[in-house]
Amino acid sequence: SAVAAAEEAAPALAAHACYADFTSAAPETKREIARTVRVAMADVAVLAPVPRQGAATPLLVSGPGAGRVAQLFLALGAEVEVLEAPAGAAAERKLLRSVFMKGLAATVLEAVAAGEAAGCEQWVRDQIARELGGHALVDRLITGTTAHAARRRHEMTAARDHLAALGTPTAISDATLAWLTRLDRP
């Protein structure tokens, strides 16, 4: 729906406008949006859960409108990294990061589910927490993944497809997608 939203907005955009896309769409989708809006476009990758830091959430931005978006969010206290690259570059890096973050969450989910089945869930959680630096991250990986499985499944599909296009293995992405699919279906 990111391209459809851009198509709907495009006729109303003034020549000096900046169109910022904050979705977790694939790099090619971001490039299609840039072609669609025909104004300065900012491909914005959100790098952490927004409820945790609000407007100060870390961002990665690329495209001709990146500097304008960075200026706005830096004023709000956000950590913003600007890539001197076209739209799609921030999305690409976000998807590469997603392989790790969503894959880590899937690993935690699998280990905790097995610990629960074995009658030692808390022990498994404690072991993971010790390695990852605390229970807060373990809990966030479990609850966040469960709550946002549908959205993350779309993101991981884009990530897996991007890895396949790069010619790299997708086994972790495939396994992560299996977990997200399981969580997304009651």
PDB file of all heavy atoms in Angstrom, residues 81-101:
ATOM      1  N   GLU A  81      20.941   9.062  10.884  1.00  0.00           N
ATOM      2  CA  GLU A  81      22.078   8.832  10.001  1.00  0.00           C
ATOM      3  C   GLU A  81      21.612   9.049   8.573  1.00  0.00           C
ATOM      4  O   GLU A  81      20.642   8.417   8.126  1.00  0.00           O
ATOM      5  CB  GLU A  81      22.620   7.411  10.164  1.00  0.00           C
ATOM      6  CG  GLU A  81      23.812   7.123   9.281  1.00  0.00           C
ATOM      7  CD  GLU A  81      24.342   5.701   9.404  1.00  0.00           C
ATOM      8  OE1 GLU A  81      23.884   4.943  10.280  1.00  0.00           O
ATOM      9  OE2 GLU A  81      25.223   5.341   8.601  1.00  0.00           O
ATOM     10  N   VAL A  82      22.259   9.951   7.863  1.00  0.00           N
ATOM     11  CA  VAL A  82      21.913  10.247   6.482  1.00  0.00           C
ATOM     12  C   VAL A  82      22.887   9.517   5.565  1.00  0.00           C
ATOM     13  O   VAL A  82      24.102   9.661   5.706  1.00  0.00           O
ATOM     14  CB  VAL A  82      21.962  11.767   6.206  1.00  0.00           C
ATOM     15  CG1 VAL A  82      21.710  12.053   4.730  1.00  0.00           C
ATOM     16  CG2 VAL A  82      20.954  12.492   7.082  1.00  0.00           C
ATOM     17  N   LEU A  83      22.337   8.747   4.658  1.00  0.00           N
ATOM     18  CA  LEU A  83      23.150   8.075   3.647  1.00  0.00           C
ATOM     19  C   LEU A  83      23.141   8.930   2.393  1.00  0.00           C
ATOM     20  O   LEU A  83      22.079   9.335   1.927  1.00  0.00           O
ATOM     21  CB  LEU A  83      22.553   6.701   3.302  1.00  0.00           C
ATOM     22  CG  LEU A  83      22.454   5.684   4.428  1.00  0.00           C
ATOM     23  CD1 LEU A  83      21.732   4.430   3.930  1.00  0.00           C
ATOM     24  CD2 LEU A  83      23.831   5.338   4.946  1.00  0.00           C
ATOM     25  N   GLU A  84      24.291   9.221   1.873  1.00  0.00           N
ATOM     26  CA  GLU A  84      24.379   9.956   0.606  1.00  0.00           C
ATOM     27  C   GLU A  84      24.159   8.939  -0.509  1.00  0.00           C
ATOM     28  O   GLU A  84      25.080   8.522  -1.187  1.00  0.00           O
ATOM     29  CB  GLU A  84      25.740  10.659   0.487  1.00  0.00           C
ATOM     30  CG  GLU A  84      25.986  11.703   1.551  1.00  0.00           C
ATOM     31  CD  GLU A  84      24.996  12.861   1.489  1.00  0.00           C
ATOM     32  OE1 GLU A  84      24.519  13.205   0.379  1.00  0.00           O
ATOM     33  OE2 GLU A  84      24.688  13.417   2.560  1.00  0.00           O
ATOM     34  N   ALA A  85      22.901   8.541  -0.630  1.00  0.00           N
ATOM     35  CA  ALA A  85      22.533   7.491  -1.575  1.00  0.00           C
ATOM     36  C   ALA A  85      21.074   7.689  -1.974  1.00  0.00           C
ATOM     37  O   ALA A  85      20.322   8.362  -1.269  1.00  0.00           O
ATOM     38  CB  ALA A  85      22.723   6.116  -0.918  1.00  0.00           C
ATOM     39  N   PRO A  86      20.666   7.090  -3.073  1.00  0.00           N
ATOM     40  CA  PRO A  86      19.283   7.264  -3.524  1.00  0.00           C
ATOM     41  C   PRO A  86      18.271   6.556  -2.628  1.00  0.00           C
ATOM     42  O   PRO A  86      18.628   5.728  -1.785  1.00  0.00           O
ATOM     43  CB  PRO A  86      19.286   6.661  -4.931  1.00  0.00           C
ATOM     44  CG  PRO A  86      20.462   5.757  -4.972  1.00  0.00           C
ATOM     45  CD  PRO A  86      21.459   6.284  -3.991  1.00  0.00           C
ATOM     46  N   ALA A  87      17.006   6.894  -2.841  1.00  0.00           N
ATOM     47  CA  ALA A  87      15.923   6.200  -2.148  1.00  0.00           C
ATOM     48  C   ALA A  87      16.080   4.705  -2.393  1.00  0.00           C
ATOM     49  O   ALA A  87      16.434   4.275  -3.488  1.00  0.00           O
ATOM     50  CB  ALA A  87      14.572   6.693  -2.665  1.00  0.00           C
ATOM     51  N   GLY A  88      15.837   3.937  -1.352  1.00  0.00           N
ATOM     52  CA  GLY A  88      16.005   2.483  -1.407  1.00  0.00           C
ATOM     53  C   GLY A  88      17.213   2.028  -0.610  1.00  0.00           C
ATOM     54  O   GLY A  88      17.237   0.901  -0.120  1.00  0.00           O
ATOM     55  N   ALA A  89      18.199   2.896  -0.451  1.00  0.00           N
ATOM     56  CA  ALA A  89      19.410   2.518   0.290  1.00  0.00           C
ATOM     57  C   ALA A  89      19.132   2.329   1.776  1.00  0.00           C
ATOM     58  O   ALA A  89      19.627   1.386   2.398  1.00  0.00           O
ATOM     59  CB  ALA A  89      20.509   3.557   0.086  1.00  0.00           C
ATOM     60  N   ALA A  90      18.323   3.214   2.357  1.00  0.00           N
ATOM     61  CA  ALA A  90      17.978   3.062   3.779  1.00  0.00           C
ATOM     62  C   ALA A  90      17.135   1.801   3.972  1.00  0.00           C
ATOM     63  O   ALA A  90      17.342   1.043   4.928  1.00  0.00           O
ATOM     64  CB  ALA A  90      17.244   4.296   4.297  1.00  0.00           C
ATOM     65  N   ALA A  91      16.201   1.575   3.060  1.00  0.00           N
ATOM     66  CA  ALA A  91      15.364   0.373   3.141  1.00  0.00           C
ATOM     67  C   ALA A  91      16.213  -0.887   3.063  1.00  0.00           C
ATOM     68  O   ALA A  91      15.984  -1.849   3.801  1.00  0.00           O
ATOM     69  CB  ALA A  91      14.321   0.382   2.026  1.00  0.00           C
ATOM     70  N   GLU A  92      17.202  -0.878   2.184  1.00  0.00           N
ATOM     71  CA  GLU A  92      18.080  -2.040   2.048  1.00  0.00           C
ATOM     72  C   GLU A  92      18.797  -2.340   3.365  1.00  0.00           C
ATOM     73  O   GLU A  92      18.815  -3.472   3.832  1.00  0.00           O
ATOM     74  CB  GLU A  92      19.105  -1.813   0.949  1.00  0.00           C
ATOM     75  CG  GLU A  92      20.073  -2.983   0.812  1.00  0.00           C
ATOM     76  CD  GLU A  92      21.083  -2.772  -0.294  1.00  0.00           C
ATOM     77  OE1 GLU A  92      21.674  -1.674  -0.366  1.00  0.00           O
ATOM     78  OE2 GLU A  92      21.275  -3.711  -1.069  1.00  0.00           O
ATOM     79  N   ARG A  93      19.360  -1.321   3.973  1.00  0.00           N
ATOM     80  CA  ARG A  93      20.079  -1.538   5.229  1.00  0.00           C
ATOM     81  C   ARG A  93      19.136  -1.968   6.338  1.00  0.00           C
ATOM     82  O   ARG A  93      19.488  -2.792   7.172  1.00  0.00           O
ATOM     83  CB  ARG A  93      20.863  -0.294   5.612  1.00  0.00           C
ATOM     84  CG  ARG A  93      21.999  -0.073   4.638  1.00  0.00           C
ATOM     85  CD  ARG A  93      22.991   0.900   5.135  1.00  0.00           C
ATOM     86  NE  ARG A  93      23.960   1.171   4.070  1.00  0.00           N
ATOM     87  CZ  ARG A  93      24.987   1.958   4.220  1.00  0.00           C
ATOM     88  NH1 ARG A  93      25.204   2.564   5.365  1.00  0.00           N
ATOM     89  NH2 ARG A  93      25.820   2.162   3.216  1.00  0.00           N
ATOM     90  N   LYS A  94      17.934  -1.410   6.356  1.00  0.00           N
ATOM     91  CA  LYS A  94      16.943  -1.804   7.376  1.00  0.00           C
ATOM     92  C   LYS A  94      16.627  -3.295   7.223  1.00  0.00           C
ATOM     93  O   LYS A  94      16.533  -4.025   8.216  1.00  0.00           O
ATOM     94  CB  LYS A  94      15.680  -0.950   7.221  1.00  0.00           C
ATOM     95  CG  LYS A  94      14.423  -1.511   7.832  1.00  0.00           C
ATOM     96  CD  LYS A  94      14.232  -1.127   9.250  1.00  0.00           C
ATOM     97  CE  LYS A  94      12.898  -1.680   9.739  1.00  0.00           C
ATOM     98  NZ  LYS A  94      12.479  -1.134  10.968  1.00  0.00           N
ATOM     99  N   LEU A  95      16.457  -3.756   6.003  1.00  0.00           N
ATOM    100  CA  LEU A  95      16.152  -5.178   5.792  1.00  0.00           C
ATOM    101  C   LEU A  95      17.317  -6.065   6.208  1.00  0.00           C
ATOM    102  O   LEU A  95      17.107  -7.143   6.775  1.00  0.00           O
ATOM    103  CB  LEU A  95      15.760  -5.439   4.340  1.00  0.00           C
ATOM    104  CG  LEU A  95      14.432  -4.827   3.899  1.00  0.00           C
ATOM    105  CD1 LEU A  95      14.169  -5.134   2.430  1.00  0.00           C
ATOM    106  CD2 LEU A  95      13.278  -5.306   4.770  1.00  0.00           C
ATOM    107  N   LEU A  96      18.536  -5.620   5.945  1.00  0.00           N
ATOM    108  CA  LEU A  96      19.698  -6.399   6.383  1.00  0.00           C
ATOM    109  C   LEU A  96      19.740  -6.469   7.905  1.00  0.00           C
ATOM    110  O   LEU A  96      20.033  -7.512   8.487  1.00  0.00           O
ATOM    111  CB  LEU A  96      20.983  -5.793   5.820  1.00  0.00           C
ATOM    112  CG  LEU A  96      21.087  -5.811   4.287  1.00  0.00           C
ATOM    113  CD1 LEU A  96      22.319  -5.047   3.841  1.00  0.00           C
ATOM    114  CD2 LEU A  96      21.061  -7.214   3.738  1.00  0.00           C
ATOM    115  N   ARG A  97      19.408  -5.371   8.576  1.00  0.00           N
ATOM    116  CA  ARG A  97      19.332  -5.339  10.046  1.00  0.00           C
ATOM    117  C   ARG A  97      18.196  -6.237  10.538  1.00  0.00           C
ATOM    118  O   ARG A  97      18.322  -6.918  11.558  1.00  0.00           O
ATOM    119  CB  ARG A  97      19.111  -3.890  10.507  1.00  0.00           C
ATOM    120  CG  ARG A  97      19.017  -3.707  11.994  1.00  0.00           C
ATOM    121  CD  ARG A  97      18.734  -2.222  12.307  1.00  0.00           C
ATOM    122  NE  ARG A  97      18.698  -1.975  13.723  1.00  0.00           N
ATOM    123  CZ  ARG A  97      17.638  -2.162  14.491  1.00  0.00           C
ATOM    124  NH1 ARG A  97      16.511  -2.620  13.980  1.00  0.00           N
ATOM    125  NH2 ARG A  97      17.697  -1.906  15.778  1.00  0.00           N
ATOM    126  N   SER A  98      17.092  -6.262   9.794  1.00  0.00           N
ATOM    127  CA  SER A  98      15.933  -7.069  10.177  1.00  0.00           C
ATOM    128  C   SER A  98      16.248  -8.552  10.204  1.00  0.00           C
ATOM    129  O   SER A  98      15.690  -9.298  11.017  1.00  0.00           O
ATOM    130  CB  SER A  98      14.759  -6.809   9.226  1.00  0.00           C
ATOM    131  OG  SER A  98      14.290  -5.499   9.387  1.00  0.00           O
ATOM    132  N   VAL A  99      17.132  -9.001   9.319  1.00  0.00           N
ATOM    133  CA  VAL A  99      17.525 -10.411   9.340  1.00  0.00           C
ATOM    134  C   VAL A  99      18.064 -10.760  10.720  1.00  0.00           C
ATOM    135  O   VAL A  99      17.705 -11.780  11.306  1.00  0.00           O
ATOM    136  CB  VAL A  99      18.563 -10.715   8.241  1.00  0.00           C
ATOM    137  CG1 VAL A  99      19.108 -12.132   8.379  1.00  0.00           C
ATOM    138  CG2 VAL A  99      17.960 -10.509   6.861  1.00  0.00           C
ATOM    139  N   PHE A 100      18.905  -9.882  11.263  1.00  0.00           N
ATOM    140  CA  PHE A 100      19.466 -10.113  12.590  1.00  0.00           C
ATOM    141  C   PHE A 100      18.407  -9.949  13.685  1.00  0.00           C
ATOM    142  O   PHE A 100      18.216 -10.842  14.511  1.00  0.00           O
ATOM    143  CB  PHE A 100      20.630  -9.154  12.858  1.00  0.00           C
ATOM    144  CG  PHE A 100      21.046  -9.131  14.303  1.00  0.00           C
ATOM    145  CD1 PHE A 100      21.695 -10.213  14.861  1.00  0.00           C
ATOM    146  CD2 PHE A 100      20.752  -8.050  15.108  1.00  0.00           C
ATOM    147  CE1 PHE A 100      22.056 -10.211  16.203  1.00  0.00           C
ATOM    148  CE2 PHE A 100      21.106  -8.032  16.445  1.00  0.00           C
ATOM    149  CZ  PHE A 100      21.762  -9.120  16.994  1.00  0.00           C
ATOM    150  N   MET A 101      17.720  -8.814  13.713  1.00  0.00           N
ATOM    151  CA  MET A 101      16.790  -8.530  14.810  1.00  0.00           C
ATOM    152  C   MET A 101      15.617  -9.514  14.846  1.00  0.00           C
ATOM    153  O   MET A 101      15.281 -10.045  15.904  1.00  0.00           O
ATOM    154  CB  MET A 101      16.275  -7.092  14.724  1.00  0.00           C
ATOM    155  CG  MET A 101      17.331  -6.043  15.028  1.00  0.00           C
ATOM    156  SD  MET A 101      18.081  -6.202  16.669  1.00  0.00           S
ATOM    157  CE  MET A 101      16.684  -5.852  17.727  1.00  0.00           C
TER     158      MET A 101
END
